[in-house]
Amino acid sequence: MVKDLGGKILEVRVDGVHGDAFVGSLVLTHGAKVMKLDARPSDAIALAVGDGAPIFVSRKVLAAAGIDRRMLDRM
């Protein structure tokens, strides 16, 4: 849908945690315009994977999920 509307996904961010819900955003371009839209992380990640866009997760989110950053270096 993003491509059909002339846009491109630049990146996905999982920015924070509110209560027990993760909060994310989708960064897109449409022409020269860059937009940041709030999005459910699960939906945004699915779009990023389908488009090959990078996914960034904040340290705060990793800590809330119980993931030590050193664990990621082993993957």
Side-chain angles (χ1 to χ4, degrees), residues 58-71:
S58 74
R59 288 186 173 119
K60 179 171 52 175
V61 170
L62 291 175
I67 299 172
D68 186 308
R69 183 179 161 100
R70 292 172 291 188
M71 292 170 61

Side-chain angles (χ1 to χ4, degrees), residues 16-67:
V17 181
H18 289 114
D20 59 354
F22 293 104
V23 178
S25 58
L26 185 62
V27 181
L28 335 147
T29 60
H30 186 264
K33 187 175 182 179
V34 177
M35 297 169 275
K36 182 179 176 185
L37 305 173
D38 291 339
R40 289 190 320 184
S42 58
D43 294 336
I45 289 168
L47 289 169
V49 169
D51 209 33
I55 302 166
F56 299 98
V57 181
S58 74
R59 288 186 173 119
K60 179 171 52 175
V61 170
L62 291 175
I67 299 172

